[in-house]
Each structure stands twice: as structure tokens, then as C-alpha cells.
Amino acid sequence: MTSAKTMFEKVWSAHEVAPQTAETPAVIFIDLHLTHEVTSPQAFTVLRERGLKVRRPDLTLATMDHSTPTRTEQVFGGAPISIESAAKQIQQLEINCAEFGVELLGLQDSRRGIVHIIGPELGITQPGKTIVCGDSHTSTHGAFGALAFGIGTTEVGHVLATQCLLQKKPKTCAIEVRGRLPAGVTPKDLILAIIGKVGVSGGTGYVFEYRGEALRALSMDQRMTICNMSIEAGARAGMIAPDETTYEYLKNTPRAPKGKAWDDALAYWKTLPSDDGATFDKVVEIDASSLEPMVTYGTNPGMVVSVTGRIPDHRGDAVFDAAMKYMGLSPGQPIAEAPVNVVFVGSCTNGRLVDLRAAAQVLSGRKIAKGVQMLVVPGSQEVKRLAEAEGLADVFKAAGAEWRESGCSMCLGMNGDTVNKGEYSVSTSNRNFEGRQGIGARTLLASPETAAASAVLGRVADPRQFLRA
Amino acid sequence: MTITTIRSRTVVMSSTNIDTDQIVPARFLTTTSKEGLGNALFADWRYDAGGRPRPEFVLNKPEAQGCRILVAGRNIGCGSSREHAPWALVDYGFQAVISNEIADIFKNNSLKNGLLPIVVDDATHAWLLQNPGVEVEVDLRASTLTVPGRPAVGFPIDPFARVCLMNGVDELGFLLSKNGEIEQYEARRRA
Ligand code: SF4
């Protein structure tokens, strides 16, 4: 028996209010509850019906991102929000937060943005915390060494009322990444390759810990891209051990601990990484150094191929056949021949500053192809400001792209930013499900670099041709 | 609401990876209540562009009417955490979903809404996929599924969720009863 523990086990056991028994799940305390307009209204209704309060408003933060408009005139100019039910939902969140005393970063707040982007920006996403949100991409926050996962609306109600959740302990899976990513190959390509390898349900029941040299070399923005898509392999959460990069990032954020509290926090954070010799229930290995830019060709994020490759031939497999029919693509076809109508750069996967820089680097001095619509949607208002200050917005506009206010936008098309039926979209988001970006929309997931290169050529393109130093 | 047994014919949707974006497309998520979501269930598969039911879609077939058990291909419920997915299934009239693999968050959300997520072995799953419309019986007390002409098969279910479903116990009530322990925990953390 060894006493070496994984990072997950350390965070889990530090939050057990009551341990799991044969009859009951564990009661787990939640350090940070993020909430948004789409998955919270019915939870607040339950509180109201049962006469309950929000137990810890100080650990709860609300924002609006999913159904919010991205057109400046609708956000700031008083123009009506195009979708009436979305406007109502936004208003309902304002009412709920006011009534229950929850801090809300509302539509016009300068700190507003996609919920998984603003938590880290504000510095409330921290190592060792348990973080939940009624959103499956809560896994993003695991990049800081937090245990962060998505919950349903009933559970949103549980956390609002008790600051706790009933949870069964998941298993652990180490994703060992060997070697370094080659030039022009990004964290998005790495996570797509991992999902391709593990499969879209291979992580079910597990918490991933991404490990290895390649991850140590990444910035926090980049680590978030990886943890973000853990759920696309079915995993409950994805974690990366905190290190100097993590501390450096947090140090300058507005709500990170200061002074003595910082020193104490730092000392604790340094105890979190998995001990040498800690064992995981499962181990997956992947070699980063042999990867190429990746693009999805099908209707789940595991259907992925390198940008220089051809669509594989799995005819006879029902999932594959249905995907080919939906996508209008054929087995054996080079993916780089796939046409492009729309390019979307944004989302909680790739809507941070480094992502916009990467796309701008490809677009700088170039124009997007005729007939292609390109939408660049910063992940938060903070990202928007920084990108404008750096001149990235000018690069996008000069190239012919649209520059919007922050939000989820075309990642799920709830706010009316959608792709037309049958059109091809190269998107930096995380899901290529049927209809995700609009009824009949055909989504190819890729990195910001690949998305920008595809916008320039009007077909799926290898970004490395534009990135030579 | 309490559940002990469910007896129904099955509807089979054999697609693998039926994600929650298919179960309820995002544009229906601007609702602030749970009611009426049954109309949005599988909307993009169920209706044509003009909003008319597509006769070839399985839920629109006469023999599917009144069925309360959905047999789905592997990994149903993957993707978005939207609880609107089980809400829509329940609002439509389903009481159980059977597959050989069910995604985590969807499974959790289903249990909280009186929708039984039943994971069966591959052989039983394959048989169910090949025999749509058979009458099956789910016994929650024994955690078994019985199909005609085959021995009953057990299915795993979280013991706490099972008790909650059978006795109509509500998880929020259980958590609220832990208030003393939560206060102690908070005090420990402040120390
Ligand atoms: S950007 Fe997309 S994946 Fe991220 S929270 Fe918004 S809708 Fe969900």
C-alpha cells in the first residue's frame, strides 16, 4: 500500500463534508459556483417554491453568455435583442440575482464574458478549489489544478441552497503526453488527437490528469483549451498540476488572494500536484512530437484527421455513414479539399487572447477568401479590450472578418449567430454535433490558426504554410 | 413521484452517441421553465423545415405511440450538461432510457428527474436494438430488466438514487438535513 496520492484525490478529500458510504454518495463542498442564464432559471424557481436562500452568495457568481447578443448595438446601443425569449431569459437572471443577492456581471458589465473565461480572468479560479457550473465545459478551470465539472440544473439548485453536491467518487486517468508539440501544432490539435485516441466515451466515469513536458511548456490560456475539451472524451473533469506558470498568471488577477493570504494560498497550492508514485486507474499515452494540425470531419469530436490527411474509410459503420451523409463528405477525400463557407473564431475553447493572436498572425496582411464569412468573437469583454489595444481587431477587420462583443455566439447558435443549412463552418469551438451551429450546419473543428488559414484559402487549409518565420 | 416497476413496449433509436444537442437543440433552451419541452424533443429529427412531423422518424410512427421506454445506441446523452434533455424526455412521456453506455452528466440528470438510465450488457443491448417494440419490464427494487423469452438481467444503479426514486425521497431535502455537518465543515475551513 502506498500513501502517494493523485492531485484529484487530494482535492476531493479536502472537500468531503461527509464521505461516501455504501448507501449514500459523498457530500462535497463547492468553493466556487458559476452560473449563467440558461441553466439556472428553474433552479431559482425551486428555491422560491421551497422558501430557501442562497447559502453562500460570496461563493457564487453569475454572468450571461449563452443567449446574449454579440452585436454592439444590441449590447450597448439599446437596440432590441433579436430573440425575444433570449431577452426574457437574460432579464430573468437579473431578477433572480437581485432577489437572491448573487453578484451578477450583467450584459453591459466590462468584466462580462463566457463563464469559463471570466473565472480565470478574475482570479477566482484557483488551484485546489472545487468549481461547478451548469455547463459541461466547466472542465476548463481544471487547467489551474482545480476540480471543476459541469452539473445539471437540479444540482445548480442543490449548490445554491447548500453549497454542496452529492457525488460519487470518479476514477482517475492519467493522460501522459510525451515530447513537445512541433511548430504550428497547437494545444487544440493535441486535445483533438487525444479525443480521437480515447474516443468520445472513453473517459466516461473518469477525471483526467494531463501530464508531461508538453503541458509544462504551455501558457494558462493554452492549458485551458486542453482541459476545456475533456468532456468531449466523456470525462467528468480534466486537471493540470499548478506550477510557476499558474502562479504567475494568478498573481496579477483582481480577485486572487493578496499579501499574507497569497503566501498561504501559494504554500497550499504547492502541495497539490500528484505525488511521485501515485497510481491512476487508467493511463493513456500520446506522443505530441509526431502530431500535425488536426481537423474533424464528422459529427463528433473524436472523428478527427490531420489536416494533411484523408477522411478515413469506415463504410459500414453506422456512425461513420451517417456522419458522411450529414457532412456531405466522402471517405478517402483529402480533408484539405473540404469547402468553407463560414469561419468562427471564439468560444471557451479558443476565445482567449492567445487564440486571437494566433488567428491574427495568419490573417495579418491577408484577406479572407471571397464568399467566406468570418466571425471573430472574443471570449470576454476583457479579451476584447486587450485585442483592440494590441491591434488584433484591426487585423481581423482589414482581412474582412466581423468583430463582435463577447459571448458564446456561434459555438451553439442560441443567440441567433448561426450557420446556414448545408454550409461548412471551420470553427474553433468544441462540438461538431449535428445542428450545433444551426439547423443542418456542418462544423469542422480546428485550431484558430487552421481556422484563419481556411478563411484565407476558402477551403480547409494547413496553417503552417502561413506561419513560416 | 415514486417508481417501482415500469412495463412498456420499447422505441428503438439505434444511433450511437445521441448527444443532448439532438435530444433538445440549443434554440429551445431560452425557456425559463420545464413545461412543454416534450414538443422540442428530437426536434431536428422529428419535424421537417415547415414544422410538420416527418413520418419516417421513429417517434412519429403509430407503433411508437404510448411507449415509455427508449432503447438507444451506445453513449446516449453525451455532450452538453443541459437538464432540458431529461426534462424533454420525461415531458414527452418516457420513464426509462436503456443503452450499453450512458454519458455521466445525462445519467445524473435523468436520475434526478424520475427518468431511469438503464445500462445493460452488450448482448442484451444488441438484442433490444434488433427487437424494437418488445414489451419489457423494469423492476427497480430488484434492479432487473426482463425481456420476453430471456432471463432477467440486472442493471447497476446508484443505491442512493434507487432509494430516492423508489420512495420519492428528494436529494435536496437530504442535503438540507446535512446542515450541521456543512456548518462544521465551513468552520473547519475558516480556522
Ligand atoms: S462557448 Fe460554447 S461550449 Fe463554451 S460555454 Fe459557451 S456554449 Fe458552452
Side-chain angles (χ1 to χ4, degrees), chain A residues 65-66 114-116 135 137 228 347-348 408 411-412 430 436:
Chain A
D65 50 6
H66 281 69
I114 301 172
V115 64
H116 310 309
D135 191 284
H137 293 98
N228 175 273
S347 87
C348 58
C408 297
C411 174
L412 89 167
N430 45 42
R436 172 82 177 177

Side-chain angles (χ1 to χ4, degrees), chain B residues 163-176:
Chain B
V163 169
C164 289
L165 285 165
M166 280 176 41
N167 305 333
V169 171
D170 123 77
E171 294 191 348
L172 178 54
F174 177 81
L175 269 172
L176 288 166

Side-chain angles (χ1 to χ4, degrees), chain A residues 120-327:
Chain A
E121 271 176 7
L122 291 169
I124 50 179
T125 297
Q126 292 165 15
K129 277 192 178 181
T130 44
I131 302 176
V132 298
C133 174
D135 191 284
S136 57
H137 293 98
T138 310
S139 58
T140 313
H141 307 261
F144 290 77
L147 175 60
F149 52 92
I151 56 176
T153 298
T154 301
E155 291 172 311
V156 169
H158 292 178
V159 182
L160 288 173
T162 68
Q163 203 57 34
C164 288
L165 274 179
L166 293 167
Q167 286 289 301
K168 266 181 76 179
K169 196 171 184 175
K171 291 178 281 188
T172 55
C173 172
I175 309 281
E176 299 281 358
V177 184
R178 307 262 175 247
R180 291 242 191 165
L181 289 168
V185 183
T186 73
K188 179 65 163 286
D189 303 310
L190 172 59
I191 188 63
L192 285 172
I194 291 171
I195 297 162
K197 181 166 177 151
V198 176
V200 290
S201 64
T204 303
Y206 290 90
V207 167
F208 286 171
E209 181 181 327
Y210 302 96
R211 298 155 63 84
E213 186 196 359
L215 295 155
R216 294 291 130 222
L218 300 180
S219 69
M220 290 316 296
D221 281 7
Q222 295 176 310
R223 293 179 191 184
M224 284 188 258
T225 298
I226 293 182
C227 287
N228 175 273
M229 291 190 73
S230 305
I231 182 73
E232 306 314 330
R236 209 64 229 283
M239 303 174 84
I240 295 176
D243 58 13
E244 290 308 319
T245 306
T246 319
Y247 313 139
E248 198 51 44
Y249 177 102
L250 283 172
K251 190 142 207 184
N252 303 314
T253 54
R255 298 193 190 181
K258 307 282 181 232
K260 162 117 180 25
W262 169 265
D263 296 337
D264 292 347
L266 191 61
Y268 173 57
W269 297 345
K270 288 186 171 169
T271 68
L272 291 170
S274 295
D275 300 328
D276 288 339
T279 50
F280 294 82
D281 296 308
K282 186 162 128 181
V283 177
V284 173
E285 293 191 23
I286 189 156
D287 178 14
S289 63
S290 63
L291 293 180
E292 291 196 275
M294 306 295 281
V295 186
T296 64
Y297 59 86
T299 50
N300 72 54
M303 302 176 86
V304 63
V305 65
S306 77
V307 71
T308 58
R310 291 168 184 272
I311 296 174
D313 189 347
H314 300 306
R315 269 174 292 190
D317 173 294
V319 175
F320 179 83
D321 291 341
M324 285 299 103
K325 183 161 176 251
Y326 182 84
M327 294 298 290

